[in-house]
Amino acid sequence: DSGVTQTPKHLITATGQRVTLRCSPRSGDLSVYWYQQSLDQGLQFLIQYYNGEERAKGNILERFSAQQFPDLHSELNLSSLELGDSALYFCASSVAQGESNEKLFFGSGTQLSVL
Amino acid sequence: GNSVTQMEGPVTLSEEAFLTINCTYTATGYPSLFWYVQYPGEGLQLLLKATKADDKGSNKGFEATYRKETTSFHLEKGSVQVSDSAVYFCALALTGRRALTFGSGTRLQVQP
């Protein structure tokens, strides 16, 4: 158990809808990262938050947004969903801002299926 | 740009066989290198890492050496077990860049 909790584990929705994925980092970790894992794109970094502020942005679509709350949990909001958004979404956390040699702890992911 | 290239899978081995999973990278600076493992139905876990040239990371019988001259970080294990069946990801992170860049992953299947 990594200590990172993601809910829900599975989500099935329709095109055009909006969903929210939730992540609770390990106790004491200030950074939260979101990754998307799909068969064709592999593991893609979406966005990072540190102590409530956005710190780095990757290949995140404009239809997607995220935030980190004062209690350090994070939510990833996906809107106007398309079939191609179907993927496994991972959250990871780390203690600090993200030094290059830092270890990330991953949750078990949310499997999103857009029908 | 920065990228990681891994050998295509799946890799199928018999128990106690020798394992090598190749990983090469392209980076604009001097990255830290990682191997993460993903067991079925779980998130990724750090397996080992190396932060500078010629460093050797090791854990649970797995080893990888940071080779700057060949820009490689190949994963090896002398004797695999059925419980090693998983997907293995090579990754890099650059100083000042806060996100890991992952390879596409290599699925390992170990048969008894």
Side-chain angles (χ1 to χ4, degrees):
Chain A
D1 182 7
S2 67
V4 178
T5 303
Q6 288 189 248
T7 56
K9 290 193 182 301
H10 303 277
L11 198 49
I12 302 174
T13 188
T15 55
Q17 295 298 305
R18 172 189 170 95
V19 297
T20 297
L21 313 183
R22 182 188 170 101
C23 170
S24 294
R26 284 189 331 152
S27 177
D29 284 359
L30 299 178
S31 273
V32 170
Y33 304 75
W34 286 98
Y35 282 84
Q36 178 193 59
Q37 185 180 34
S38 60
L39 285 176
D40 54 342
Q41 297 287 328
L43 259 172
Q44 298 284 320
F45 167 67
L46 296 179
I47 197 163
Q48 179 209 359
Y49 279 82
Y50 173 76
N51 205 20
E53 295 189 4
E54 182 184 306
R55 279 306 172 112
K57 226 170 186 177
N59 301 323
I60 188 166
L61 300 172
E62 285 191 10
R63 300 183 286 108
F64 296 180
S65 65
Q67 53 184 328
Q68 186 179 28
F69 294 87
D71 67 352
L72 301 177
H73 91 272
S74 177
E75 292 181 356
L76 179 67
N77 300 296
L78 315 177
S79 61
S80 303
L81 285 168
E82 302 175 359
L83 295 177
D85 297 327
S86 296
L88 188 53
Y89 291 83
F90 283 111
C91 167
S93 73
S94 66
V95 172
Q97 297 188 45
E99 298 303 320
S100 61
N101 61 354
E102 196 171 350
K103 178 178 179 179
L104 297 189
F105 294 85
F106 282 78
S108 55
T110 293
Q111 180 67 58
L112 173 66
S113 299
V114 182
L115 305 179
Chain B
N2 305 309
S3 65
V4 177
T5 303
Q6 291 182 235
M7 60 189 291
E8 294 266 341
V11 173
T12 303
L13 296 173
S14 298
E15 209 164 20
E16 299 184 3
F18 184 86
L19 168 71
T20 300
I21 300 178
N22 290 338
C23 170
T24 57
Y25 67 90
T26 302
T28 52
Y30 297 100
S32 293
L33 301 173
F34 306 80
W35 278 100
Y36 278 79
V37 58
Q38 184 180 24
Y39 296 102
E42 299 182 13
L44 281 73
Q45 304 173 26
L46 179 65
L47 181 59
L48 53 84
K49 69 178 183 182
T51 58
K52 61 183 188 296
D54 299 325
D55 268 2
K56 177 185 282 189
S58 61
N59 186 26
K60 300 181 181 180
F62 291 90
E63 292 183 341
T65 301
Y66 189 141
R67 301 287 188 199
K68 184 180 169 186
E69 62 276 11
T70 54
T71 61
S72 65
F73 193 54
H74 304 322
L75 182 68
E76 297 182 336
K77 187 175 185 184
S79 175
V80 294
Q81 305 299 313
V82 172
S83 57
D84 294 326
S85 298
V87 181
Y88 292 81
F89 291 90
C90 186
L92 68 81
L94 288 169
T95 302
R97 293 288 298 274
R98 297 183 175 89
L100 288 167
T101 298
F102 285 93
S104 56
T106 302
R107 182 175 300 279
L108 170 66
Q109 298 173 337
V110 181
Q111 299 174 339

